[in-house]
Amino acid sequence: MADLKQVQNLMSNGNYAAAIEIVNKTIKDAGPQKEWVEVQSYINQKLGDFETALEGWNSLIAYLPNEAAYYLERGVCKFNLRYKSAIEDFNQAIVLEPQNAYFHSALAYILDK
């Protein structure tokens, strides 16, 4: 099984194509573990594959419905796909973590657009 640290190093060097190969293989071989699905979804976003990333965030939200960051990231995908429901996800992230200033600024950004 691949090492998550190796994948993070590839990502920090901007080598998302190599990182997603490792992640996809690991998920195929070991099953969809939470940490790997998170990384897979982040990488798919970085690669501009928002539909696939959206699927990942949907599965993570089904598994952990109180994880605010998942709603934020799903909202980012929806925003890039021009879904109006992106605002609902940003709002849900704020409901779950009202003190998180980044969530508020992200919502302000998409409302401005």
Side-chain angles (χ1 to χ4, degrees), residues 45-81:
Q45 278 180 240
K46 289 292 190 181
L47 292 170
D49 187 354
F50 298 108
E51 288 284 350
T52 303
L54 182 64
E55 291 173 19
W57 297 122
N58 284 338
S59 68
L60 288 163
I61 288 169
Y63 179 68
L64 292 169
N66 293 320
E67 187 64 45
Y70 295 165
Y71 288 94
L72 181 83
E73 296 302 334
R74 185 173 75 174
V76 169
C77 291
K78 288 180 177 181
F79 173 73
N80 282 285
L81 293 167

Side-chain angles (χ1 to χ4, degrees), residues 39-112:
V39 172
Q40 181 187 48
S41 299
Y42 280 119
I43 294 170
N44 283 321
Q45 278 180 240
K46 289 292 190 181
L47 292 170
D49 187 354
F50 298 108
E51 288 284 350
T52 303
L54 182 64
E55 291 173 19
W57 297 122
N58 284 338
S59 68
L60 288 163
I61 288 169
Y63 179 68
L64 292 169
N66 293 320
E67 187 64 45
Y70 295 165
Y71 288 94
L72 181 83
E73 296 302 334
R74 185 173 75 174
V76 169
C77 291
K78 288 180 177 181
F79 173 73
N80 282 285
L81 293 167
R82 308 280 190 244
Y83 294 173
K84 290 184 181 187
S85 61
I87 293 170
E88 294 168 17
D89 282 343
F90 284 90
N91 283 331
Q92 183 61 29
I94 291 169
V95 166
L96 293 169
E97 285 187 30
Q99 301 301 323
N100 190 319
Y102 178 71
F103 294 171
H104 289 276
S105 66
L107 175 61
Y109 175 81
I110 68 160
L111 289 174
D112 184 54

